[in-house]
Every structure is written in C-alpha cells, then in structure tokens.
Amino acid sequence: MSARVSIRDVAARAKVSLATVSNVLNRPEVVATATRERVLAAIEELGFVRNESARQLRSGRPRAIGLVVLDVSNPFFTDVARGVEEAASEAGHAVILCNSAGSATREARHVELLAEQRVHGVLITPATNSLEAVDGLRRRGVSVVLLDHPARLEDTCSVAVDDRTGGELAVTHLLAEGHERVVMVNGPAHVHQAAERHRGAVDAVLRAGRDPELLETIVMPTLDVASGLRAGEQLLARPVRPTAVFCANDLLALGALQALVRGGARVPEEVAIVGYDDIDFAAAAAVPLTSVRQPRHLIGRTAAQLVLAEADTSRDHEHHHVVFTPELVVRESSRGPRRRRTASRR
Ligand code: RIB
C-alpha cells in the first residue's frame, strides 16, 4: 500500500510552499487562480486526502456550524436547513442539525454540546424568548446568528421575515374576497412568529375599517397537522361555520383543510383557507393552499453566510439584522367570486 501522501508531497509536486497548499485547502479565495489550479492538479495526481481529524486536533475546531431548529419535522425548517447546508458546504463546512422540539431544556443541551465541540458558529431559532442559550454561546466566544427571529441584539446577527406584514397580507386577502368574519387558528403566544402574525391579522381588520370583533382567534398548543385537524373538527362542529380561516402556518392549514373536506365542507366555496410558509405541500394539497410565502432557502443561506463571516473576522465583524418581506401566493383554497360572504349554516 503506497505511503500516505502528505501535504509536503503536494507542495513539492506543485512547486509551492506548505502555506500555499494550506490556503488552497482552507481559504481558496486568497490563492491566485493559476496557483490554486496547479495545487489542485497535484492533489489529484498524488491522491492526497486531508487528514481532517489531525487538522481538528491541531486547530481544535471542526469545520462545522451548528443549526438548532424548533421542529425538524416541519418542512419550513428543512427548507431553511437546505439553504444553510448549501452555503456551509460552499465554505467547506459541515452542518450539525439539532432539534429543540420547542423545549428550552433540549435547546440548552444541544447548545452545550455544540459549544463543547467548538463549532465555528451556531444558527438558532430560540425555543423561548429568553435568549439565555444565545447569551451562553456568546460568553463562550461562539458566533451566533438568530434564525427566523427578529431580536435586534447589538452583538448578534439575525435573519427573520416580517411576520406582522405576513399576517396582514393573509387577512386583507380574505376580507377582499368578501368574507364578513375570519377565524385565525394560531399557535401559543410565546412563539413570537405566531404572535406577530396575529398582530398583522388585527392590523388588516383595523386598516379595513372593520370591527375588530370580526376576527376570532383559536389558540392551539402546537403548530402542526394534528392541531390543525383538531381545529378543523371544532369548526365543523359549530352550528354556524366560519367562511374564512387563516392558519399561522401551513401544517395547521393542511390539518384544518383535511378535517373540513373530510367532514363534507366545500373549500373554498363554503370555507376559504389561508396558510403560512408556502412549503411544497401547500401547492400539492388536494385543494391547493393559498399561503404566505417565506423565502426559506434564502433565510438559511443568509444566516449561514453571516455566521461564517463573523467566525472568520470576529473582531471587526459588523452585525446585520436582515428582515425579509413575505408574499401572498393565492391558490384555489381561498380564491372565489368576490361577493359578500356570511357564515354558512350546516
Ligand atoms: O415554527 C413555527 C413556524 O414559525 C413555522 O411554521 C414557520 O412559519 C416559522 O416561521
């Protein structure tokens, strides 16, 4: 078996210094193109394979970033993770995905493990508004970017979407479709995304000069399909059903849609439904779902690029607070003739 090819062999073959080979491996952007290509050709010819574990032992830091999400089963977060992974991979980093499942205890455990691993940075959608986990990471010198969270901390970058505008877009659309009343199926108030969407829904009613009473809110314990099913069944059981439902995310909306259609309600003729996120399943639903689109992949890419930039230039890094604007995607689940609609009787 041939002796292991070393970084010295590569430098000799390419007629460059050891530092140049190291730069090609770790910071290719600082090496002139012709030199970089000569070194890569030597790596290919000699069959050089970097000894990542030896590098980690020397530098003590894995080429990895952590990603802590609220709910790994929600396609919103897997779409965000895809953007994170793409940007991290382009920079030669892996991603360690952690799921807090909305639990502050689980979040704290994941954060501790990531800090012990001395990852280059952590992207986190906090499970609570306390941001204690974020403070702990920063105290240990770990770069942090708040993901899908608008907190404007002076020493921490953040990437979010203007959820208040998103909620307003959804309810303005339903009012414009002629609905007299709207039921919002929301998540717990401590989930800031849900709280902001609700604020936007109220804004829409007030801006339309309508009675705030026309917006009724049902708070579910979780933002998933199971809660959406339960909410849909509750609405079906009412003697007078609402004609318009805005759900705080697509999983709630898909659950409510399933319950309503299964119970014989016609969507959108009898009940119009609007979701939030515009995950791929929204367009693929039995009745294609109107939804407020969040730029999920871009959210992930942007957050990853910010955390890697800070990790590379932590001392003079300028913190950024990026807020994307959502857009309404109208589909069959809420589209209908523009006419005054009152609640439908069973
Ligand atoms: O985690 C709950 C929701 O917040 C997700 O569906 C997505 O909308 C996020 O912003």
Side-chain angles (χ1 to χ4, degrees), residues 70 74 76-77 148 193 197 223 249 277 294:
L70 277 179
N74 182 339
F76 168 84
F77 290 107
D148 191 30
Q193 297 95 328
R197 288 164 203 174
L223 286 135
N249 75 358
D277 290 340
Q294 297 205 72

Side-chain angles (χ1 to χ4, degrees), residues 2-25:
S2 63
R4 185 177 189 80
V5 175
S6 76
I7 195 168
R8 287 183 189 289
D9 301 323
V10 173
R13 173 66 69 94
K15 296 186 175 51
V16 297
S17 68
L18 288 178
T20 299
V21 177
S22 173
N23 279 337
V24 169
L25 293 173

